[in-house]
Amino acid sequence: EAQVTQNPRYLITVTGKKLTVTCSQNMNHEYMSWYRQDPGLGLRQIYYSMNVEVTDKGDVPEGYKVSRKEKRNFPLILESPSPNQTSLYFCASSRGLRGEKLFFGSGTQLSVL
Amino acid sequence: AQTVTQSQPEMSVQEAETVTLSCTYDTSESDYYLFWYKQPPSRQMILVIRQEAYKQQNATENRFSVNFQKAAKSFSLKISDSQLGDAAMYFCAYRSALYSGGGADGLTFGKGTHLIIQP
């Protein structure tokens, strides 16, 4: 089954403790991206990747890191999480960039205390 | 930069009736794509419908259809014969057809409309 797998679904952590949210897709998609969703703000893009070893900042990249060492994986790293990074995070992928449908993961609800 | 505006934070409709969700966008581009995504309480993001800006014909998917007015930069979603399973957050999204590099890739979401279905 074609899917984007995110883990974990829920995560509670404390300020400053490094964490990684994993994302993997099995569709051989070139494009992958991370979004955060906050009430009243919709989805905002954090980082995206056009292909292996190619990443770019989105609208809200501060405090986040990503890497794309393999085509299928695109982890999101918070090196020193802060409470303002408490949010619902989505990973998404698509075959290309131009108008292609985005496939979303199930989301990761992160709480930083 | 493009912006997407959903002016209705919440809408309510009786089951079996028709409801229209509004979306307007601002862009200087002529080639782009528009989407409606549905997010039920499960939080899963589900593509409802997709429209290519260079196609004048409005997209339809079963009970879902759009009214795409390119000159007015409007992209409303009509849901006919509303069902309880349609209750969700609905997001309008814009995607540029061009990638200029070095910045956000041109995919912009609205803030969402919460649709309530009254039984």
Side-chain angles (χ1 to χ4, degrees):
Chain A
E1 180 191 353
Q3 59 184 2
V4 177
T5 303
Q6 263 180 259
N7 280 299
R9 288 211 67 186
Y10 300 92
L11 180 58
I12 301 174
T13 189
V14 295
T15 299
K17 186 176 182 182
K18 180 178 179 179
L19 66 91
T20 299
V21 184
T22 63
C23 174
S24 180
Q25 49 92 6
N26 63 0
M27 296 167 279
N28 200 37
H29 283 169
E30 294 174 342
Y31 174 89
M32 297 186 75
S33 184
W34 278 101
Y35 299 87
R36 61 177 288 173
Q37 181 181 358
D38 302 289
L41 296 178
L43 280 82
R44 295 177 293 167
Q45 191 177 58
I46 303 171
Y47 269 95
Y48 65 98
S49 171
M50 301 286 284
N51 213 324
V52 175
E53 302 293 359
V54 180
T55 63
D56 239 327
K57 295 178 181 179
D59 294 315
V60 289
E62 293 77 21
Y64 304 95
K65 283 178 59 177
V66 294
S67 69
R68 188 95 181 270
K69 293 183 170 57
E70 304 167 282
K71 198 170 188 178
R72 62 183 293 126
N73 296 323
F74 191 46
L76 180 69
I77 303 158
L78 284 72
E79 299 231 328
S80 183
S82 61
N84 64 10
Q85 293 178 299
T86 293
S87 186
L88 176 59
Y89 291 86
F90 285 100
C91 180
S93 74
S94 67
R95 187 175 56 185
L97 187 62
R98 289 174 55 92
E100 298 287 343
K101 169 189 172 181
L102 277 176
F103 290 79
F104 282 85
S106 300
T108 296
Q109 181 63 58
L110 172 65
S111 295
V112 183
L113 306 177
Chain B
Q2 295 79 24
T3 58
V4 176
T5 302
Q6 293 179 249
S7 58
Q8 306 149 317
E10 188 173 277
M11 293 279 287
S12 182
V13 65
Q14 291 288 129
E15 192 176 4
E17 294 189 346
T18 295
V19 64
T20 298
L21 308 185
S22 299
C23 174
T24 59
Y25 56 93
D26 186 24
T27 184
S28 59
E29 298 173 341
S30 59
D31 193 12
Y32 49 86
Y33 302 85
L34 296 164
F35 306 84
W36 278 99
Y37 280 90
K38 170 186 177 181
Q39 186 180 45
S42 67
R43 305 181 323 192
Q44 185 67 36
M45 293 289 286
I46 303 164
L47 178 66
V48 175
I49 206 162
R50 172 180 176 271
Q51 175 80 41
E52 299 170 14
Y54 59 86
K55 288 188 176 179
Q56 293 186 342
Q57 186 174 7
N58 289 325
T60 63
E61 287 287 342
N62 301 314
R63 298 181 295 106
F64 298 86
S65 62
V66 297
N67 183 5
F68 174 47
Q69 301 288 330
K70 191 172 184 179
K73 297 179 184 174
S74 171
F75 183 60
S76 60
L77 175 69
K78 184 171 86 171
I79 306 173
S80 304
D81 185 25
S82 298
Q83 300 175 0
L84 294 177
D86 294 333
M89 282 291 288
Y90 286 82
F91 292 97
C92 179
Y94 170 104
R95 193 166 206 185
S96 174
L98 301 173
Y99 172 61
S100 57
D105 68 353
L107 176 59
T108 304
F109 284 85
K111 296 181 179 181
T113 296
H114 181 212
L115 179 62
I116 298 167
I117 310 294
Q118 306 279 4

